Amino acid sequence: MTTAQESTDELTDELTDESMDEATADDDFAVLPWHRNPWNIVAMLFAVLVLAGTAGFVIGERHATPDPNSTDIGFLQDMRAHHEQAVAMSLAFVEKTEVNPYLKLVADEIAFGQSIEIGRMIQLLRDYGESEANESGVGMAWMNHPMPLEQMPGLASAADLDALYEATGADAERIFVNLMIVHHQGGIEMAEHAVAHAGTSEVTKFAKGIVTGQQSEITELQRLLPD
């Protein structure tokens, strides 16, 4: 009995020692508070450096980008009104029957493309903190040729628009093509001035795109002009 008791006690002591050793080992691998863990500190410093670098880049870019001048704002506001008439004429032609279906497709593309560009002009004006439209009634002041807004280069008169709305067949085709060619020529004149005098790269690139796109459309319209 004594021997059995001693064996039991020895086994108990061994288990107790092993448990204490395991606890000590667990203590050695205890998780440190986040601010005492060197890896957390390194990660935090890296994040701070990245954020600081990003902020510096954004601030630098803002300082590097010139402010819009009178040409930027005037061009965007007046070209928006100019585009709106082109969209109206194109949609009116698309509604007609007994006209060249390919010309209707071109008109539809003009309406869609210029609607997209109107949205871009509105967004740029918002970015610049300016009015989304020319509310003065006077256009072309930014080109040093102030005139009533409805008399900007290329705009169709009220009588021209009435003739387009009432025409049918080949007459409608001829009126639409002639009005749109003149309209695009006026728009190109405005856009070329903006390319030469705008203060921001956004407006310069945008105006260049209008020149290229409308020159291409003039070529296509001339090809489709009825005999």
Side-chain angles (χ1 to χ4, degrees):
M1 290 294 294
T2 302
T3 302
Q5 183 64 45
E6 289 176 354
S7 298
T8 301
D9 291 342
E10 289 176 0
L11 180 58
T12 300
D13 291 340
E14 289 177 3
L15 292 174
T16 301
D17 291 340
E18 289 178 3
S19 298
M20 292 179 64
D21 290 342
E22 291 177 359
T24 302
D26 289 341
D27 290 341
D28 291 341
F29 291 98
V31 177
L32 296 173
W34 72 268
H35 61 277
R36 292 180 57 191
N37 189 315
W39 292 109
N40 287 344
I41 295 174
V42 170
M44 182 177 66
L45 290 174
F46 179 75
V48 170
L49 289 174
V50 170
L51 289 174
T54 302
F57 174 79
V58 171
I59 293 172
E61 284 292 298
R62 287 179 178 174
H63 286 300
T65 302
D67 293 331
N69 58 27
S70 60
T71 297
D72 295 271
I73 305 308
F75 168 73
L76 293 172
Q77 291 176 339
D78 288 357
M79 188 56 81
R80 175 189 175 180
H82 206 271
H83 271 33
E84 285 173 346
Q85 189 185 78
V87 172
M89 289 194 299
S90 298
L91 292 178
F93 184 79
V94 169
E95 293 295 321
K96 295 184 179 297
T97 58
E98 299 181 0
V99 294
N100 185 336
Y102 187 75
L103 184 55
K104 288 181 68 172
L105 178 61
V106 171
D108 193 51
E109 290 175 347
I110 291 173
F112 179 78
Q114 296 213 2
S115 295
I116 296 296
E117 290 178 353
I118 288 171
R120 176 61 175 156
M121 286 183 266
I122 291 173
Q123 186 58 57
L124 283 172
L125 287 166
R126 288 176 179 174
D127 290 344
Y128 298 151
E130 300 289 341
S131 173
E132 297 174 12
N134 182 344
E135 299 172 348
S136 69
V138 177
M140 309 301 292
W142 53 280
M143 288 183 67
N144 299 317
H145 296 295
M147 63 185 67
L149 200 60
E150 64 273 11
Q151 295 179 14
M152 289 190 295
L155 287 186
S157 66
D160 291 331
L161 295 175
D162 288 341
L164 173 63
Y165 297 151
E166 295 171 5
T168 59
D171 287 340
E173 294 174 12
R174 189 175 298 105
I175 293 172
F176 172 74
V177 170
N178 285 327
L179 288 180
M180 192 58 71
I181 287 175
V182 173
H183 194 279
H184 276 7
Q185 289 170 339
I188 289 172
E189 178 185 346
M190 295 166 65
E192 287 178 337
H193 185 89
V195 170
H197 300 283
T200 66
S201 60
E202 292 94 340
V203 172
T204 300
K205 292 176 182 177
F206 185 55
K208 285 181 179 178
I210 289 176
V211 171
T212 301
Q214 296 198 1
Q215 285 176 337
S216 176
E217 288 174 354
I218 287 175
T219 300
E220 186 67 7
L221 288 167
Q222 289 172 332
R223 188 179 70 82
L224 295 170
L225 184 64
D227 296 330

